[in-house]
Amino acid sequence: MPLRVIDADEVRARLGFDVAIPLVREAMVALSSGGTRQLLRSILDLEGGNAFGVMPGALGEAPFGAKLVSVFPGNVARGGMSHQGVIVLFDLDGAPYAVVDAGEVTAIRTAAASAAATDALARADASELAVLGTGEQALRHVDAIRQVRPIGSVRIWGRNPRRAAALAERVGGETAASVDAATEGADIICTVTAAPEPVLHAGQVKSGAHINAVGSSRAGPAEIANELVVRVRFFADHREGVLAQGAEFLRAKAAGLVTDAHIVGEIGQVFAGTIVGRGSPDEVTLYKSLGSIVQDLACAQWLAEG
């Protein structure tokens, strides 16, 4: 079979959240039940705070493959994408059969996974959304969360007021002058920043809120403060990944504030109904997203075979 190449335009045109949310939900159920395989990502640090990552995995026997992705945060300020690369799919005979643009798939599936987690963990009446960050994930998260909750208000905070204002206008929301202003009364909070140190603290989150912690995908930079990690009911996308690379959890653990048992479980277990998600209306829930290759493979397979 000829190698199929699916570019960014085709991904954008076909992979809507109506498709991506159930795809990533099913992939995470399979991951938590042992139906898929993935290794921890390998990250090569480059000059200027940039990085190159390799993420291998398999959906059952096939497809298997890997995502090769560069992470250049400075591209966002120039109107580009921070994540660029390719997803390569292999078939049962070991032959590569598709190459898919990874930047667009990553942007869509990351927000789709947060939306699926929000649907499982946020209160049913959640309607106020706060987004911390102004990059491509900020926009995608607003669109994705609106698929699973009746969002009435959106507040955007970012370190660049001009970018925050532009995003707020685009999504029909408001700009917040501070994190406090953005999160006051928020039912759902999405942290999608490139901040090296925490921007969200326990006192900025109301009882009953749900948090999607997305911006940090490796050990080191952390968006969530230790005291907030302690406060929340903590769910991982992949337990092994968070124990090795989940910066917020690792910081709180190193400070002696939590143990591994603080991770309630994986989001795939919540989707499957094998563990309880939200235990009470007043709990603060947190979904820690590092990103799993099985999400990429599921979306890429759908694109290649559709």
Side-chain angles (χ1 to χ4, degrees), residues 91-125:
D91 63 21
L92 276 168
D93 294 321
Y97 71 92
V99 176
V100 184
D101 182 90
E104 280 298 320
V105 170
T106 299
I108 295 167
R109 65 82 158 152
T110 302
S114 291
T118 299
D119 198 25
L121 298 175
R123 289 171 47 143
D125 60 355

PDB file of all heavy atoms in Angstrom, residues 91-125:
ATOM      1  N   ASP A  91       1.483  -1.088  10.288  1.00  0.00           N
ATOM      2  CA  ASP A  91       0.417  -2.082  10.273  1.00  0.00           C
ATOM      3  C   ASP A  91       0.885  -3.418  10.840  1.00  0.00           C
ATOM      4  O   ASP A  91       2.009  -3.555  11.338  1.00  0.00           O
ATOM      5  CB  ASP A  91      -0.142  -2.241   8.860  1.00  0.00           C
ATOM      6  CG  ASP A  91       0.884  -2.760   7.855  1.00  0.00           C
ATOM      7  OD1 ASP A  91       1.894  -3.379   8.272  1.00  0.00           O
ATOM      8  OD2 ASP A  91       0.666  -2.563   6.640  1.00  0.00           O
ATOM      9  N   LEU A  92       0.027  -4.434  10.746  1.00  0.00           N
ATOM     10  CA  LEU A  92       0.310  -5.745  11.309  1.00  0.00           C
ATOM     11  C   LEU A  92       1.512  -6.432  10.660  1.00  0.00           C
ATOM     12  O   LEU A  92       2.119  -7.328  11.250  1.00  0.00           O
ATOM     13  CB  LEU A  92      -0.921  -6.646  11.188  1.00  0.00           C
ATOM     14  CG  LEU A  92      -1.976  -6.515  12.287  1.00  0.00           C
ATOM     15  CD1 LEU A  92      -3.249  -7.242  11.892  1.00  0.00           C
ATOM     16  CD2 LEU A  92      -1.449  -7.031  13.615  1.00  0.00           C
ATOM     17  N   ASP A  93       1.838  -6.034   9.440  1.00  0.00           N
ATOM     18  CA  ASP A  93       2.998  -6.595   8.753  1.00  0.00           C
ATOM     19  C   ASP A  93       4.281  -5.824   9.054  1.00  0.00           C
ATOM     20  O   ASP A  93       5.333  -6.130   8.499  1.00  0.00           O
ATOM     21  CB  ASP A  93       2.760  -6.612   7.233  1.00  0.00           C
ATOM     22  CG  ASP A  93       1.637  -7.556   6.845  1.00  0.00           C
ATOM     23  OD1 ASP A  93       1.546  -8.633   7.458  1.00  0.00           O
ATOM     24  OD2 ASP A  93       0.843  -7.195   5.952  1.00  0.00           O
ATOM     25  N   GLY A  94       4.161  -4.802   9.928  1.00  0.00           N
ATOM     26  CA  GLY A  94       5.339  -4.023  10.276  1.00  0.00           C
ATOM     27  C   GLY A  94       5.689  -2.939   9.278  1.00  0.00           C
ATOM     28  O   GLY A  94       6.781  -2.366   9.339  1.00  0.00           O
ATOM     29  N   ALA A  95       4.762  -2.638   8.376  1.00  0.00           N
ATOM     30  CA  ALA A  95       5.028  -1.632   7.350  1.00  0.00           C
ATOM     31  C   ALA A  95       4.403  -0.300   7.743  1.00  0.00           C
ATOM     32  O   ALA A  95       3.256  -0.256   8.203  1.00  0.00           O
ATOM     33  CB  ALA A  95       4.470  -2.087   6.006  1.00  0.00           C
ATOM     34  N   PRO A  96       5.122   0.808   7.544  1.00  0.00           N
ATOM     35  CA  PRO A  96       4.499   2.120   7.786  1.00  0.00           C
ATOM     36  C   PRO A  96       3.437   2.381   6.729  1.00  0.00           C
ATOM     37  O   PRO A  96       3.659   2.143   5.544  1.00  0.00           O
ATOM     38  CB  PRO A  96       5.673   3.090   7.653  1.00  0.00           C
ATOM     39  CG  PRO A  96       6.667   2.394   6.792  1.00  0.00           C
ATOM     40  CD  PRO A  96       6.515   0.932   7.072  1.00  0.00           C
ATOM     41  N   TYR A  97       2.262   2.831   7.171  1.00  0.00           N
ATOM     42  CA  TYR A  97       1.202   3.071   6.197  1.00  0.00           C
ATOM     43  C   TYR A  97       0.638   4.485   6.244  1.00  0.00           C
ATOM     44  O   TYR A  97      -0.122   4.881   5.359  1.00  0.00           O
ATOM     45  CB  TYR A  97       0.071   2.051   6.346  1.00  0.00           C
ATOM     46  CG  TYR A  97      -0.801   2.182   7.574  1.00  0.00           C
ATOM     47  CD1 TYR A  97      -1.976   2.945   7.558  1.00  0.00           C
ATOM     48  CD2 TYR A  97      -0.479   1.514   8.754  1.00  0.00           C
ATOM     49  CE1 TYR A  97      -2.791   3.040   8.671  1.00  0.00           C
ATOM     50  CE2 TYR A  97      -1.295   1.610   9.876  1.00  0.00           C
ATOM     51  CZ  TYR A  97      -2.445   2.366   9.832  1.00  0.00           C
ATOM     52  OH  TYR A  97      -3.246   2.466  10.947  1.00  0.00           O
ATOM     53  N   ALA A  98       1.005   5.284   7.260  1.00  0.00           N
ATOM     54  CA  ALA A  98       0.500   6.657   7.309  1.00  0.00           C
ATOM     55  C   ALA A  98       1.445   7.544   8.094  1.00  0.00           C
ATOM     56  O   ALA A  98       2.045   7.114   9.083  1.00  0.00           O
ATOM     57  CB  ALA A  98      -0.892   6.699   7.927  1.00  0.00           C
ATOM     58  N   VAL A  99       1.550   8.773   7.615  1.00  0.00           N
ATOM     59  CA  VAL A  99       2.275   9.833   8.321  1.00  0.00           C
ATOM     60  C   VAL A  99       1.296  10.986   8.494  1.00  0.00           C
ATOM     61  O   VAL A  99       0.736  11.473   7.510  1.00  0.00           O
ATOM     62  CB  VAL A  99       3.527  10.293   7.541  1.00  0.00           C
ATOM     63  CG1 VAL A  99       4.201  11.454   8.261  1.00  0.00           C
ATOM     64  CG2 VAL A  99       4.502   9.142   7.350  1.00  0.00           C
ATOM     65  N   VAL A 100       1.073  11.383   9.747  1.00  0.00           N
ATOM     66  CA  VAL A 100       0.040  12.374  10.059  1.00  0.00           C
ATOM     67  C   VAL A 100       0.676  13.574  10.749  1.00  0.00           C
ATOM     68  O   VAL A 100       1.558  13.404  11.600  1.00  0.00           O
ATOM     69  CB  VAL A 100      -1.043  11.751  10.966  1.00  0.00           C
ATOM     70  CG1 VAL A 100      -2.164  12.743  11.225  1.00  0.00           C
ATOM     71  CG2 VAL A 100      -1.584  10.458  10.359  1.00  0.00           C
ATOM     72  N   ASP A 101       0.223  14.774  10.393  1.00  0.00           N
ATOM     73  CA  ASP A 101       0.726  15.981  11.047  1.00  0.00           C
ATOM     74  C   ASP A 101       0.464  15.913  12.546  1.00  0.00           C
ATOM     75  O   ASP A 101      -0.684  15.772  12.990  1.00  0.00           O
ATOM     76  CB  ASP A 101       0.044  17.222  10.466  1.00  0.00           C
ATOM     77  CG  ASP A 101       0.570  18.507  11.085  1.00  0.00           C
ATOM     78  OD1 ASP A 101       1.540  19.055  10.553  1.00  0.00           O
ATOM     79  OD2 ASP A 101       0.015  18.931  12.123  1.00  0.00           O
ATOM     80  N   ALA A 102       1.528  16.000  13.341  1.00  0.00           N
ATOM     81  CA  ALA A 102       1.406  15.831  14.790  1.00  0.00           C
ATOM     82  C   ALA A 102       0.999  17.105  15.506  1.00  0.00           C
ATOM     83  O   ALA A 102       0.394  17.038  16.583  1.00  0.00           O
ATOM     84  CB  ALA A 102       2.729  15.323  15.372  1.00  0.00           C
ATOM     85  N   GLY A 103       1.336  18.252  14.939  1.00  0.00           N
ATOM     86  CA  GLY A 103       0.994  19.504  15.603  1.00  0.00           C
ATOM     87  C   GLY A 103      -0.499  19.667  15.773  1.00  0.00           C
ATOM     88  O   GLY A 103      -0.993  19.966  16.877  1.00  0.00           O
ATOM     89  N   GLU A 104      -1.251  19.443  14.695  1.00  0.00           N
ATOM     90  CA  GLU A 104      -2.699  19.589  14.760  1.00  0.00           C
ATOM     91  C   GLU A 104      -3.342  18.489  15.588  1.00  0.00           C
ATOM     92  O   GLU A 104      -4.265  18.743  16.369  1.00  0.00           O
ATOM     93  CB  GLU A 104      -3.291  19.602  13.344  1.00  0.00           C
ATOM     94  CG  GLU A 104      -3.169  20.938  12.650  1.00  0.00           C
ATOM     95  CD  GLU A 104      -3.922  22.043  13.372  1.00  0.00           C
ATOM     96  OE1 GLU A 104      -5.041  21.801  13.860  1.00  0.00           O
ATOM     97  OE2 GLU A 104      -3.390  23.154  13.451  1.00  0.00           O
ATOM     98  N   VAL A 105      -2.883  17.259  15.424  1.00  0.00           N
ATOM     99  CA  VAL A 105      -3.451  16.172  16.224  1.00  0.00           C
ATOM    100  C   VAL A 105      -3.217  16.430  17.714  1.00  0.00           C
ATOM    101  O   VAL A 105      -4.120  16.267  18.537  1.00  0.00           O
ATOM    102  CB  VAL A 105      -2.864  14.809  15.808  1.00  0.00           C
ATOM    103  CG1 VAL A 105      -3.277  13.727  16.808  1.00  0.00           C
ATOM    104  CG2 VAL A 105      -3.326  14.427  14.410  1.00  0.00           C
ATOM    105  N   THR A 106      -1.998  16.849  18.062  1.00  0.00           N
ATOM    106  CA  THR A 106      -1.683  17.122  19.467  1.00  0.00           C
ATOM    107  C   THR A 106      -2.591  18.211  20.028  1.00  0.00           C
ATOM    108  O   THR A 106      -3.124  18.087  21.141  1.00  0.00           O
ATOM    109  CB  THR A 106      -0.216  17.537  19.626  1.00  0.00           C
ATOM    110  OG1 THR A 106       0.627  16.472  19.172  1.00  0.00           O
ATOM    111  CG2 THR A 106       0.116  17.847  21.075  1.00  0.00           C
ATOM    112  N   ALA A 107      -2.758  19.286  19.264  1.00  0.00           N
ATOM    113  CA  ALA A 107      -3.591  20.396  19.734  1.00  0.00           C
ATOM    114  C   ALA A 107      -5.029  19.945  19.986  1.00  0.00           C
ATOM    115  O   ALA A 107      -5.645  20.303  20.998  1.00  0.00           O
ATOM    116  CB  ALA A 107      -3.557  21.531  18.716  1.00  0.00           C
ATOM    117  N   ILE A 108      -5.556  19.135  19.077  1.00  0.00           N
ATOM    118  CA  ILE A 108      -6.959  18.716  19.186  1.00  0.00           C
ATOM    119  C   ILE A 108      -7.135  17.652  20.253  1.00  0.00           C
ATOM    120  O   ILE A 108      -8.025  17.745  21.112  1.00  0.00           O
ATOM    121  CB  ILE A 108      -7.458  18.214  17.816  1.00  0.00           C
ATOM    122  CG1 ILE A 108      -7.475  19.376  16.812  1.00  0.00           C
ATOM    123  CG2 ILE A 108      -8.850  17.582  17.948  1.00  0.00           C
ATOM    124  CD1 ILE A 108      -7.638  18.944  15.369  1.00  0.00           C
ATOM    125  N   ARG A 109      -6.279  16.622  20.247  1.00  0.00           N
ATOM    126  CA  ARG A 109      -6.492  15.510  21.182  1.00  0.00           C
ATOM    127  C   ARG A 109      -6.222  15.919  22.623  1.00  0.00           C
ATOM    128  O   ARG A 109      -6.835  15.399  23.553  1.00  0.00           O
ATOM    129  CB  ARG A 109      -5.687  14.289  20.788  1.00  0.00           C
ATOM    130  CG  ARG A 109      -4.162  14.386  20.830  1.00  0.00           C
ATOM    131  CD  ARG A 109      -3.591  14.167  22.212  1.00  0.00           C
ATOM    132  NE  ARG A 109      -2.196  13.764  22.197  1.00  0.00           N
ATOM    133  CZ  ARG A 109      -1.338  14.003  23.165  1.00  0.00           C
ATOM    134  NH1 ARG A 109      -1.705  14.730  24.226  1.00  0.00           N
ATOM    135  NH2 ARG A 109      -0.113  13.558  23.099  1.00  0.00           N
ATOM    136  N   THR A 110      -5.317  16.882  22.852  1.00  0.00           N
ATOM    137  CA  THR A 110      -5.045  17.336  24.218  1.00  0.00           C
ATOM    138  C   THR A 110      -6.281  18.008  24.809  1.00  0.00           C
ATOM    139  O   THR A 110      -6.687  17.718  25.943  1.00  0.00           O
ATOM    140  CB  THR A 110      -3.857  18.303  24.246  1.00  0.00           C
ATOM    141  OG1 THR A 110      -2.714  17.651  23.702  1.00  0.00           O
ATOM    142  CG2 THR A 110      -3.557  18.759  25.667  1.00  0.00           C
ATOM    143  N   ALA A 111      -6.882  18.900  24.045  1.00  0.00           N
ATOM    144  CA  ALA A 111      -8.098  19.567  24.514  1.00  0.00           C
ATOM    145  C   ALA A 111      -9.258  18.587  24.614  1.00  0.00           C
ATOM    146  O   ALA A 111     -10.090  18.678  25.527  1.00  0.00           O
ATOM    147  CB  ALA A 111      -8.443  20.725  23.590  1.00  0.00           C
ATOM    148  N   ALA A 112      -9.321  17.640  23.681  1.00  0.00           N
ATOM    149  CA  ALA A 112     -10.382  16.636  23.727  1.00  0.00           C
ATOM    150  C   ALA A 112     -10.272  15.792  24.987  1.00  0.00           C
ATOM    151  O   ALA A 112     -11.290  15.451  25.620  1.00  0.00           O
ATOM    152  CB  ALA A 112     -10.321  15.746  22.492  1.00  0.00           C
ATOM    153  N   ALA A 113      -9.048  15.435  25.388  1.00  0.00           N
ATOM    154  CA  ALA A 113      -8.850  14.648  26.607  1.00  0.00           C
ATOM    155  C   ALA A 113      -9.271  15.437  27.837  1.00  0.00           C
ATOM    156  O   ALA A 113      -9.884  14.890  28.764  1.00  0.00           O
ATOM    157  CB  ALA A 113      -7.390  14.221  26.716  1.00  0.00           C
ATOM    158  N   SER A 114      -8.960  16.730  27.865  1.00  0.00           N
ATOM    159  CA  SER A 114      -9.405  17.570  28.981  1.00  0.00           C
ATOM    160  C   SER A 114     -10.924  17.659  29.025  1.00  0.00           C
ATOM    161  O   SER A 114     -11.532  17.654  30.107  1.00  0.00           O
ATOM    162  CB  SER A 114      -8.807  18.970  28.868  1.00  0.00           C
ATOM    163  OG  SER A 114      -7.413  18.960  29.095  1.00  0.00           O
ATOM    164  N   ALA A 115     -11.542  17.753  27.851  1.00  0.00           N
ATOM    165  CA  ALA A 115     -13.006  17.811  27.814  1.00  0.00           C
ATOM    166  C   ALA A 115     -13.622  16.521  28.322  1.00  0.00           C
ATOM    167  O   ALA A 115     -14.609  16.537  29.072  1.00  0.00           O
ATOM    168  CB  ALA A 115     -13.477  18.108  26.394  1.00  0.00           C
ATOM    169  N   ALA A 116     -13.048  15.388  27.927  1.00  0.00           N
ATOM    170  CA  ALA A 116     -13.555  14.099  28.412  1.00  0.00           C
ATOM    171  C   ALA A 116     -13.407  13.995  29.928  1.00  0.00           C
ATOM    172  O   ALA A 116     -14.315  13.523  30.623  1.00  0.00           O
ATOM    173  CB  ALA A 116     -12.818  12.960  27.713  1.00  0.00           C
ATOM    174  N   ALA A 117     -12.248  14.445  30.446  1.00  0.00           N
ATOM    175  CA  ALA A 117     -12.027  14.430  31.894  1.00  0.00           C
ATOM    176  C   ALA A 117     -12.991  15.372  32.599  1.00  0.00           C
ATOM    177  O   ALA A 117     -13.526  15.052  33.674  1.00  0.00           O
ATOM    178  CB  ALA A 117     -10.585  14.819  32.211  1.00  0.00           C
ATOM    179  N   THR A 118     -13.232  16.541  32.012  1.00  0.00           N
ATOM    180  CA  THR A 118     -14.172  17.501  32.577  1.00  0.00           C
ATOM    181  C   THR A 118     -15.573  16.914  32.638  1.00  0.00           C
ATOM    182  O   THR A 118     -16.296  17.069  33.630  1.00  0.00           O
ATOM    183  CB  THR A 118     -14.168  18.797  31.745  1.00  0.00           C
ATOM    184  OG1 THR A 118     -12.862  19.375  31.763  1.00  0.00           O
ATOM    185  CG2 THR A 118     -15.183  19.800  32.271  1.00  0.00           C
ATOM    186  N   ASP A 119     -15.968  16.216  31.586  1.00  0.00           N
ATOM    187  CA  ASP A 119     -17.287  15.611  31.545  1.00  0.00           C
ATOM    188  C   ASP A 119     -17.455  14.584  32.661  1.00  0.00           C
ATOM    189  O   ASP A 119     -18.539  14.440  33.239  1.00  0.00           O
ATOM    190  CB  ASP A 119     -17.499  14.942  30.187  1.00  0.00           C
ATOM    191  CG  ASP A 119     -18.961  14.671  29.896  1.00  0.00           C
ATOM    192  OD1 ASP A 119     -19.832  15.373  30.452  1.00  0.00           O
ATOM    193  OD2 ASP A 119     -19.230  13.745  29.116  1.00  0.00           O
ATOM    194  N   ALA A 120     -16.345  13.894  32.996  1.00  0.00           N
ATOM    195  CA  ALA A 120     -16.395  12.861  34.023  1.00  0.00           C
ATOM    196  C   ALA A 120     -16.260  13.411  35.443  1.00  0.00           C
ATOM    197  O   ALA A 120     -16.775  12.810  36.387  1.00  0.00           O
ATOM    198  CB  ALA A 120     -15.296  11.836  33.777  1.00  0.00           C
ATOM    199  N   LEU A 121     -15.568  14.556  35.599  1.00  0.00           N
ATOM    200  CA  LEU A 121     -15.196  15.012  36.938  1.00  0.00           C
ATOM    201  C   LEU A 121     -15.855  16.314  37.378  1.00  0.00           C
ATOM    202  O   LEU A 121     -16.037  16.540  38.580  1.00  0.00           O
ATOM    203  CB  LEU A 121     -13.672  15.178  37.016  1.00  0.00           C
ATOM    204  CG  LEU A 121     -12.838  13.907  36.809  1.00  0.00           C
ATOM    205  CD1 LEU A 121     -11.354  14.248  36.784  1.00  0.00           C
ATOM    206  CD2 LEU A 121     -13.137  12.871  37.880  1.00  0.00           C
ATOM    207  N   ALA A 122     -16.178  17.197  36.449  1.00  0.00           N
ATOM    208  CA  ALA A 122     -16.764  18.483  36.835  1.00  0.00           C
ATOM    209  C   ALA A 122     -18.216  18.307  37.263  1.00  0.00           C
ATOM    210  O   ALA A 122     -18.895  17.360  36.857  1.00  0.00           O
ATOM    211  CB  ALA A 122     -16.682  19.480  35.678  1.00  0.00           C
ATOM    212  N   ARG A 123     -18.684  19.226  38.095  1.00  0.00           N
ATOM    213  CA  ARG A 123     -20.089  19.213  38.488  1.00  0.00           C
ATOM    214  C   ARG A 123     -20.968  19.378  37.257  1.00  0.00           C
ATOM    215  O   ARG A 123     -20.605  20.055  36.296  1.00  0.00           O
ATOM    216  CB  ARG A 123     -20.370  20.321  39.495  1.00  0.00           C
ATOM    217  CG  ARG A 123     -19.765  20.066  40.856  1.00  0.00           C
ATOM    218  CD  ARG A 123     -19.856  21.268  41.773  1.00  0.00           C
ATOM    219  NE  ARG A 123     -21.179  21.892  41.804  1.00  0.00           N
ATOM    220  CZ  ARG A 123     -21.745  22.407  42.891  1.00  0.00           C
ATOM    221  NH1 ARG A 123     -21.095  22.367  44.057  1.00  0.00           N
ATOM    222  NH2 ARG A 123     -22.922  22.966  42.837  1.00  0.00           N
ATOM    223  N   ALA A 124     -22.144  18.770  37.304  1.00  0.00           N
ATOM    224  CA  ALA A 124     -23.056  18.829  36.166  1.00  0.00           C
ATOM    225  C   ALA A 124     -23.505  20.247  35.864  1.00  0.00           C
ATOM    226  O   ALA A 124     -23.811  20.584  34.714  1.00  0.00           O
ATOM    227  CB  ALA A 124     -24.260  17.930  36.418  1.00  0.00           C
ATOM    228  N   ASP A 125     -23.529  21.104  36.894  1.00  0.00           N
ATOM    229  CA  ASP A 125     -23.992  22.480  36.702  1.00  0.00           C
ATOM    230  C   ASP A 125     -22.850  23.459  36.442  1.00  0.00           C
ATOM    231  O   ASP A 125     -23.058  24.680  36.459  1.00  0.00           O
ATOM    232  CB  ASP A 125     -24.800  22.944  37.904  1.00  0.00           C
ATOM    233  CG  ASP A 125     -23.999  22.927  39.215  1.00  0.00           C
ATOM    234  OD1 ASP A 125     -22.832  22.470  39.205  1.00  0.00           O
ATOM    235  OD2 ASP A 125     -24.539  23.376  40.247  1.00  0.00           O
TER     236      ASP A 125
END
